[in-house]
Amino acid sequence: MKAILTVQNITSDFVTSFWTPLFVGIFIAIVTYALWPRNKAAFDEAAKMPLREE
């Protein structure tokens, strides 16, 4: 029996083969940026922003 190509099968194959690794890479880049030691001071300052009285 031959597999029937449907839009759903093509779309599913495209998503799993292209978009999933792309979004995993973007997620890893964001986490790396957030945990990078050089950015600690900026994030600490941003965390105190709601508590400041100006």
Side-chain angles (χ1 to χ4, degrees):
M1 244 185 145
K2 280 187 159 183
I4 299 174
L5 290 177
T6 62
V7 174
Q8 184 178 5
N9 288 343
I10 294 169
T11 305
S12 176
D13 291 343
F14 178 72
V15 167
T16 57
S17 65
F18 180 72
W19 290 107
T20 302
L22 178 69
F23 284 125
V24 168
I26 291 171
F27 176 77
I28 290 172
I30 291 170
V31 170
T32 302
Y33 173 77
L35 297 178
W36 205 257
R38 183 179 61 175
N39 298 327
K40 183 175 177 12
F43 285 123
D44 286 343
E45 184 66 28
K48 295 175 186 175
M49 201 179 298
L51 302 175
R52 281 192 250 152
E53 293 183 26
E54 292 182 296

